[in-house]
Amino acid sequence: MATKQLRRAGAVALALGTATALAACSGQVSVGEGGDADATLIYDLGLEMTTLDPASTFDVSASTVNSQIYEQLVDYDPESGEIVGELADSWEMNDDATEYRFTLRDDVTFESGGTLGSKDVVFALDRLKNLQGPPAYLMDGLTVTADGDEVVVISSEVPKPELPAMLANENFSVYDSEAVQEHGAVSDETAATADEAGDIFFSESFGSGPYSLAGYEPNAQVELAASENWRGDAPDFSKVLVRNSRSIQQQILNIQNGGSDLTNSLSSPQVSELDESKVNVVSQPLPQVIYLALTNSGGPTVNDDFRKAVALGLDYDGLLEMAGDGARQATGVIPTVLEGSIPEGEGLTRDVEAAKAALAASGVGDQTLSISFGSDYAVGGQDMGLFAQKIQSDLEEIGMNVELDGAPTQVSRTANQEGKVQAALWPFPPDYADASQFLIHSPGGLLAERAHWSADQAPDIAALADTAQRVVDRDERAEAYETWARAIRDTNRFIAVVEVPQNLVSSKRVGNLNMDVTGQTSLDTLTLEQ
């Protein structure tokens, strides 16, 4: 299970939701240097990074920074939602999606001075695999080779129609192989022990993106400067200061009083309280679902009728209202912004009387349901504890006994990973935006194993997952994943609750706000409004 014919594939369209503008771009806020050539964009963001090495990063803040410095073979067009060539000029795949041939651009110069060639792609992807860091699994079953200086071939042991979406992940960033080798980078099978280049990415840039790394202060800030080697238009903001800002209240003050230009940490309810005359906002659901997982290891959640009572007892409309503008009711474990999901509008509906009847039929209605969640965990700025309290209230209304087991994220997550919780309230943020990532919920998949739900307990659903993984045709693939998602939903083992949006908020002097399906923003295309 999963844990972003030769035919031209210059752009692969996805069924993605587009960002919705909540406030028009106009006016001016006196931040930084204003309209001169040294305009600085101040970006408030919670920094959690322990590395800026693209082959090792596994947190959102590092990906946010690296997405401005480095490029991949492909990326998302934030306007169309299509996967388009970035370092690749074009690509082809064979009939069974086991081989892709990427033809590289011939106008790419790295910040460190080298020019792009197939050797750089092969080195970066081999290093991603062989460093054996958290994102190394993305390379499982993949082999990368060069066919001359301008063509890269990626081969897979199994059909991989999701490969373009995978390659848009920042871990697949390409960098100047000769330059990083001078600092001890190694890409072969010895990389896990022999590579010594990790820390150099904190002080130097080896990418081909619109910005380069100009400074880094641990737990404080990252400074970016417009790259002199960027082949595109020069950014309106020649400098970007990404500041570590963990106080939401301070972020709210900053974005309204001219102390910052950009943040993406505010929830929809918080955004609704902002002064629209001072900010611009775009909002879109992220490709993740907040779900309630019910264990199969013992207690009332083993009972089919008890799980049915939970599913029918939730006030989905109320949870959606709590999530605020831009949120969507989740229809299943695959987010509605992705192909293969159960269509928007076909989510579960609350039925209090039917829920009470199912609880009575279960024979275990007097037993207590304990819901575990990260008490300090937030999704799209939303406190997970608020959702937990709402769910508790909903289920108590149908006569269920519910206790909340909130704990610090690390404690709660560890207990969930070890399969020690009865009910787990969490989101699953995918590493790339494709339906295949969500097979982690299938019986025998990683999340299902935590709930003690094995493939041999639901062989028909496991078979549907296997089928979906092998389908290459786009329409047939979407149908196969939707069929699987409906089968998962019918078990009530993973109850999809809500899809929370990400809000990108800027000062009035920033225009052309954009987010791709993963929530990443192209800072170089932001405009300085006069």
Side-chain angles (χ1 to χ4, degrees):
M1 299 300 172
T3 28
K4 201 137 140 12
Q5 82 244 13
L6 281 181
R7 60 189 182 198
R8 302 300 293 180
V12 179
L14 298 179
L16 308 177
T18 55
T20 302
L22 302 183
C25 297
S26 61
Q28 181 179 0
V29 175
S30 56
V31 181
E33 293 81 8
D36 64 31
D38 294 323
T40 298
L41 180 82
I42 301 176
Y43 190 172
D44 278 351
L45 185 71
L47 299 181
E48 301 174 349
M49 60 190 65
T50 58
T51 179
L52 283 176
D53 183 345
S56 299
T57 56
F58 217 58
D59 68 85
V60 173
S61 59
S63 293
T64 298
V65 171
N66 276 352
S67 67
Q68 316 304 322
I69 300 173
Y70 298 95
E71 296 180 284
Q72 302 80 241
L73 288 170
V74 300
D75 203 357
Y76 291 100
D77 183 315
E79 294 185 2
S80 69
E82 293 182 340
I83 294 178
V84 296
E86 193 166 57
L87 294 177
D89 184 58
S90 63
W91 68 94
E92 304 170 325
M93 81 174 184
N94 64 2
D95 287 337
D96 62 359
T98 58
E99 181 179 290
Y100 291 75
R101 295 177 61 85
F102 295 87
T103 300
L104 303 180
R105 298 178 63 108
D106 60 4
D107 59 351
V108 178
T109 301
F110 295 111
E111 183 67 16
S112 44
T115 56
L116 174 67
S118 57
K119 68 180 187 306
D120 302 301
V121 180
V122 174
F123 184 92
L125 272 57
D126 279 348
R127 185 167 176 267
L128 170 61
K129 174 190 289 187
N130 291 318
L131 275 182
Q132 298 178 19
Y137 89 93
L138 294 167
M139 286 294 296
D140 287 351
L142 299 180
T143 301
V144 187
T145 57
D147 185 2
D149 294 335
E150 299 177 354
V151 175
V152 172
V153 180
I154 301 181
S155 302
S156 173
E157 296 173 357
V158 297
K160 212 73 172 175
E162 67 268 30
L163 183 65
M166 291 175 60
L167 294 176
N169 179 299
E170 281 76 27
N171 292 121
F172 287 95
S173 294
V174 178
Y175 37 85
D176 188 337
S177 59
E178 292 185 4
V180 296
Q181 286 179 83
E182 292 177 359
H183 294 280
V186 176
S187 68
D188 63 21
E189 292 82 357
T190 69
T193 55
D195 189 280
E196 299 178 347
D199 288 345
I200 196 64
F201 290 93
F202 275 133
S203 57
E204 296 189 31
S205 291
F206 305 97
S208 57
Y211 288 98
S212 64
L213 184 66
Y216 169 73
E217 297 179 31
N219 302 313
Q221 64 183 33
V222 177
E223 183 178 348
L224 305 177
S227 171
E228 295 181 358
N229 291 328
W230 175 236
R231 63 187 178 276
D233 295 335
D236 279 14
F237 293 93
S238 60
K239 299 178 183 177
V240 177
L241 191 64
V242 184
R243 302 187 306 198
N244 187 17
S245 178
R246 297 191 174 276
S247 168
I248 294 299
Q249 291 307 312
Q250 187 61 54
Q251 287 193 28
I252 291 172
L253 290 174
N254 287 345
I255 202 67
Q256 293 193 112
N257 67 16
S260 68
D261 290 301
L262 201 67
T263 179
N264 65 4
S265 304
L266 305 186
S267 69
S268 290
Q270 290 164 341
V271 168
S272 69
E273 299 297 321
L274 297 177
D275 184 342
E276 291 187 5
S277 69
K278 296 181 179 180
V279 298
N280 303 313
V281 183
V282 294
S283 176
Q284 70 180 37
L286 292 173
Q288 62 180 337
V289 169
I290 295 177
Y291 63 86
L292 186 64
L294 303 179
T295 187
N296 195 39
S297 65
T301 54
V302 174
N303 184 279
D304 291 346
D305 285 317
F306 187 90
R307 295 196 308 276
K308 181 179 180 180
V310 174
L312 291 173
L314 296 185
D315 176 15
Y316 298 99
D317 289 341
L319 288 159
L320 187 63
E321 182 178 358
M322 176 182 292
D325 291 342
R328 294 181 182 179
Q329 181 184 346
T331 57
V333 295
I334 300 176
T336 56
V337 297
L338 299 181
E339 288 185 344
S341 64
I342 301 170
E344 189 176 2
E346 296 187 23
L348 297 178
T349 302
R350 190 184 202 204
D351 188 330
V352 172
E353 294 307 314
K356 290 179 178 179
L359 187 63
S362 73
V364 292
D366 59 338
Q367 296 189 32
T368 298
L369 176 68
S370 177
I371 300 177
S372 172
F373 62 94
S375 58
D376 56 352
Y377 194 89
V379 180
Q382 294 275 49
D383 183 354
M384 192 65 75
L386 295 178
F387 289 114
Q389 292 168 19
K390 170 62 175 168
I391 289 172
Q392 180 186 40
S393 175
D394 292 345
L395 297 181
E396 287 179 343
E397 186 178 340
I398 68 168
M400 192 174 288
N401 301 315
V402 181
E403 66 178 18
L404 299 184
D405 182 24
T409 296
Q410 189 58 47
V411 175
S412 181
R413 179 183 284 136
T414 298
N416 183 32
Q417 291 171 342
E418 294 176 351
K420 296 179 179 179
V421 303
Q422 188 180 66
L425 183 67
W426 287 99
F428 170 61
D431 294 323
Y432 53 90
D434 184 80
S436 60
Q437 278 273 279
F438 297 87
L439 293 176
I440 197 170
H441 298 83
S442 201
L446 181 60
L447 294 185
E449 287 182 344
R450 294 175 184 173
H452 303 277
W453 191 30
S454 62
D456 60 2
Q457 292 170 328
D460 292 346
I461 298 178
L464 290 175
D466 290 339
T467 296
Q469 284 184 297
R470 293 187 174 90
V471 177
V472 175
D473 178 82
R474 180 175 172 180
D475 291 338
E476 293 177 2
R477 186 172 188 262
E479 182 179 355
Y481 274 101
E482 183 180 339
T483 298
W484 170 83
R486 289 183 184 277
I488 290 287
R489 187 175 73 176
D490 288 346
T491 69
N492 297 315
R493 294 193 181 279
F494 289 97
I495 301 173
V497 178
V498 68
E499 298 174 19
V500 176
Q502 177 165 290
N503 301 294
L504 184 66
V505 185
S506 79
S507 64
K508 279 293 182 181
R509 73 171 193 149
V510 180
N512 195 34
L513 298 191
N514 64 87
M515 280 189 288
D516 67 22
V517 66
T518 68
Q520 291 288 11
T521 298
S522 297
L523 301 183
D524 63 299
T525 62
L526 299 178
T527 56
L528 178 60
E529 301 295 309
Q530 301 300 318

